[in-house]
Amino acid sequence: MGKWYENAVFYHMYPIGMTGAPRRNESQETVHRFQDLMKWLPHIKSLGCTAIYIGPLFESTSHGYDTKDYRMVDRRLGDNRDFKNFVEKAHEMDIRVVVDGVFNHTGREFFAFQDIQKNREQSQYCSWYKGINFGWNSPYNDGFGYEAWRNCFELVNLNLWEPKVREYLLDVIGFWIDEFDIDGIRLDCADCLEFSFMEEMRRFTNDKKADFWLMGEVIHGDYSRYVKPEMLDSVTNYELHKGLYSGHNDHNYFEIAHTIRREFDENGGIYKGLRLYSFVDNHDVDRIASKLNVPEHIFTVYTLLFTLPGIPSIYYGSEWGIQGRKEGGNDDPLRPAVDIEEALQHPDNPQLLEWVKLLGRIHSQEPALSDGRYQELLLTNRQYAFARILGEEAIVVAVNNDDRPAELYIRELLGGKSWVSLVDGQEGRPQDGSFRVTLEPGESQIYKLK
């Protein structure tokens, strides 16, 4: 039997944004906003999601990635007991919980950095950070310089070659597992982390929890350098993310198909057998509803998210078409406050919400969509069909991004078996070696061969 994450559908929660918490953590008061986050769990379950990625969670100064205290839930959201209750409730609903691990850098209010500010050369923590130099100065006029993540000087780069830093971070992970019973960690900026540290983390978490999931945020490069038994279970598939929206905007399904061939084709796919983390938007990129030139294409985009190889993830609110674009360097429009009860009573796009629910049910009921090998069946600029084959069963997916109906002739599979639509229940059999399918503009079909 496979690990739980191999068949998962994730729901991505950015709690500081979705609860409407202040963007700066300037109050000493603890506000118990986890009560609001708890209200999302039935909705998440109704989408067919089996896991939540929630974060950042731990005490920080502003957006959550400038960590101040790794052992304390951000007071803008609640306290440690609140988060423990949240995980317990999710587990009762058979939903796993994965948190953000921000291990490349800390905020300036983290105790080790503050000790350097106070004690300078005499601080025992000088080796905890990269580039500490008392002959330089920082933009904050600290009287010393340091290496910052992408020159964002509120984020101070940790020195992961320092054994005491590794020991501290592994102890933190152990605390999260023991105290909250989390099921995995999404590693922020994994492409900046030392490989040997991630390998050490893998060994540590294996000993703590055999099915603990480690997923890395990686944008560019060779994903297979990270995803391997001795390191990570998965990474973010930004290559597919780009193809999913631009392949629709350019009416160019060749881009998506080429990406999938390159990554997962059974004959030479460079990531064949790997379970990459698929998404159409997240807290760092524009909402999918704001990126598409043709709004109706959002239906076929989600069809491909749920049926192409990968572990699908939904970013909160995008399942009913929330809009949002970055404003320069401001990510707040991507991370709006949402009253879940009000939003479900009046969703922006109720048809999309129902479509995503259907896709979630189909994904949970059809193992081929998680475990099946990929085979391309038909490809034009505006039409695309493929199969996910598992043993003697197969799922065939067909999509049309044209502005007019399209008639597709999809070659048969598995010895001429009949098929039934998992969307509308229509049945049929192949004729002359192919299925004949007519798709309306922006329509998707998902067939099961039987």
Side-chain angles (χ1 to χ4, degrees), residues 402-417:
D402 206 346
D403 56 4
R404 64 187 68 188
E407 191 170 62
L408 283 63
Y409 291 85
I410 304 171
R411 61 188 174 88
E412 67 170 296
L413 289 170
L414 305 181
K417 288 188 175 184

Side-chain angles (χ1 to χ4, degrees), residues 160-161 166 194-201 203 231:
L160 294 175
W161 289 111
R166 293 191 182 199
E194 302 296 342
F195 280 33
S196 60
F197 172 61
M198 290 187 280
E199 291 169 348
E200 190 172 355
M201 194 188 315
R203 293 190 294 270
M231 198 179 300

Side-chain angles (χ1 to χ4, degrees), residues 11 31-32 55 67 91 100 103 164 178 184 200 202 211 217 241 251 287 308 331 358 361 374 397:
Y11 197 83
V31 182
H32 298 276
T67 311
H91 284 173
D100 251 321
F103 301 144
K164 290 182 179 179
D178 295 338
E200 190 172 355
R202 173 82 282 163
D211 60 350
E217 180 196 24
H241 157 257
H251 290 287
R287 293 273 182 169
L308 287 170
D331 290 328
L358 174 62
R361 287 197 298 272
Y374 167 84
V397 180

Side-chain angles (χ1 to χ4, degrees), residues 154-326:
E154 72 273 21
L155 305 176
V156 193
N157 281 346
L158 285 165
N159 174 21
L160 294 175
W161 289 111
E162 169 55 60
K164 290 182 179 179
V165 172
R166 293 191 182 199
E167 180 183 349
Y168 174 82
L169 293 176
L170 292 177
D171 190 57
V172 162
I173 294 170
F175 171 78
W176 294 349
I177 296 173
D178 295 338
E179 181 69 15
F180 304 117
D181 195 25
I182 62 168
D183 301 290
I185 295 173
R186 176 260 193 192
L187 296 171
D188 184 60
C189 302
D191 46 5
C192 299
L193 300 178
E194 302 296 342
F195 280 33
S196 60
F197 172 61
M198 290 187 280
E199 291 169 348
E200 190 172 355
M201 194 188 315
R202 173 82 282 163
R203 293 190 294 270
F204 179 84
T205 55
N206 280 352
D207 289 341
K208 294 289 288 185
K209 206 170 190 179
D211 60 350
F212 197 81
W213 190 61
L214 290 178
M215 187 273 282
E217 180 196 24
V218 177
I219 298 176
H220 304 294
D222 181 357
Y223 298 150
S224 65
R225 298 177 65 217
Y226 302 85
V227 183
K228 54 184 69 176
E230 65 271 23
M231 198 179 300
L232 306 184
D233 299 296
S234 186
V235 297
T236 49
N237 193 349
Y238 267 91
E239 186 177 345
L240 178 59
H241 157 257
K242 191 270 179 184
L244 285 174
Y245 71 84
S246 63
H248 282 85
N249 284 347
D250 297 337
H251 290 287
N252 183 17
Y253 275 146
F254 281 89
E255 179 180 0
I256 300 173
H258 174 75
T259 297
I260 296 298
R261 278 188 222 142
R262 177 179 179 275
E263 294 188 334
F264 301 115
D265 191 80
E266 56 186 333
N267 297 312
I270 60 174
Y271 306 139
K272 185 177 71 169
L274 303 187
R275 311 274 184 151
L276 303 186
Y277 183 84
S278 303
F279 59 96
V280 296
D281 51 14
N282 61 30
H283 65 301
D284 288 326
V285 300
D286 292 346
R287 293 273 182 169
I288 186 64
S290 296
K291 278 195 283 205
L292 294 173
N293 295 339
V294 179
E296 291 74 22
H297 286 169
I298 200 166
F299 291 89
T300 48
V301 165
Y302 271 105
T303 300
L304 296 178
L305 173 69
F306 275 84
T307 57
L308 287 170
I311 301 171
S313 175
I314 305 166
Y315 183 44
Y316 81 96
S318 284
E319 67 270 28
W320 62 76
I322 281 183
Q323 300 267 338
R325 290 185 181 276
K326 287 192 180 199

